[in-house]
Each structure stands twice: as C-alpha cells, then as structure tokens.
Amino acid sequence: MIIIVVVVLVIALGDGDESTTPAPTKTTTDTTPREKTQEPRGERADLISFQLDDRSEAGITNIWVVWTIKNSSSEQSNYSWDWEAVDASGTRLTNGSQLETDVQPGQSVRGEYPTTLKSVKGVKLNITSFNRTASY
C-alpha cells in the first residue's frame, strides 16, 4: 500500500521528466500593425525609391538603375545594398552592388547606375541585402 501512495504522489506532483510538455495553446490575437510593418520601418525604409529607368532611344539600349535614399537616422550613415533583376520566370538577368556614403541625418541622395539589360519589360528588381552603418 505504501508503494501505491508513493506512485500516486509522484504522478500527482510530477516526476520531473520534462521530455513531454503540453502543446502551446493557440491564441486568437492577431499581430499588431507595428509587428507586421516592423521590417520596412527599419533601415531598409531609407531606400525610398529603387527602379529601372529606360533611357533607350534610336534603337540604342540604355537602361539604368536609379534610387533615392533618405537618411532617417540621427547619425551620418553609409548605405550598401545588393540587388538583382529577374525576368518573369525568376531567372536572374543581372545583379549589382551599390554604395552611398556620408549621408547626413535627414539628407536625401539620388544615384544611378548603368545596367546590361536589353529591356525592362517583365523585369523585376529585388533587393537581396541592405545595410546602413554609421560613418565617421
């Protein structure tokens, strides 16, 4: 009978075995709007505009990548990012890296870079990495 009492007490108090834990309960609360938009509010949001500009004329292809960055931080910053241009099937057509340095707080800078693209039709730009660092 003592053994039964000990077994009952061990079961009632738990035997300390953490190998099985209950599944977490589901909550019905949605994420807040702040959580849903947190990434774009970060340093990546400083890249205000990034697009292709087709300057081709008279049968000569002339396609550029153009951008605008606005430093929303409180310190002078350097920006670097990698990008790729892909077609509708996801095939990479070209890629590159860009750099803007010594951008003052609140300052906007515009930049451009030539590409080897033959057309902008069906081409999508993707940012594959983006970094802002303090410049001194």
Side-chain angles (χ1 to χ4, degrees):
M1 179 141 143
I2 294 178
I3 295 175
I4 296 174
V5 172
V6 171
V7 170
V8 170
L9 284 175
V10 167
I11 292 172
L13 296 175
D15 61 356
D17 180 9
E18 299 293 326
S19 63
T20 58
T21 56
T25 58
K26 288 187 176 181
T27 60
T28 58
T29 58
D30 291 331
T31 57
T32 65
R34 181 182 165 280
E35 291 171 334
K36 289 181 181 177
T37 60
Q38 186 172 1
E39 198 281 325
R41 291 200 179 278
E43 61 191 30
R44 169 64 176 81
D46 287 2
L47 184 60
I48 295 171
S49 170
F50 187 71
Q51 59 195 18
L52 294 171
D53 183 15
D54 190 355
R55 302 173 186 176
S56 302
E57 60 181 84
I60 299 173
T61 305
N62 188 16
I63 301 172
W64 293 67
V65 174
V66 296
W67 63 85
T68 302
I69 286 184
K70 182 172 184 181
N71 185 352
S72 63
S73 75
S74 61
E75 57 191 4
Q76 183 174 312
S77 300
N78 296 327
Y79 294 88
S80 63
W81 68 100
D82 298 322
W83 59 271
E84 66 180 1
V86 296
D87 65 14
S89 68
T91 302
R92 180 188 283 178
L93 304 172
T94 189
N95 66 320
S97 297
Q98 304 309 137
L99 179 67
E100 286 290 346
T101 60
D102 302 324
V103 182
Q104 299 298 320
Q107 183 180 36
S108 292
V109 293
R110 293 187 179 127
E112 55 186 32
Y113 187 78
T115 73
T116 58
L117 292 170
K118 303 298 180 208
S119 171
V120 296
K121 195 170 223 169
V123 176
K124 178 183 174 190
L125 283 177
N126 296 322
I127 305 295
T128 56
S129 72
F130 189 88
N131 295 297
R132 179 183 59 80
T133 56
S135 65
Y136 300 99

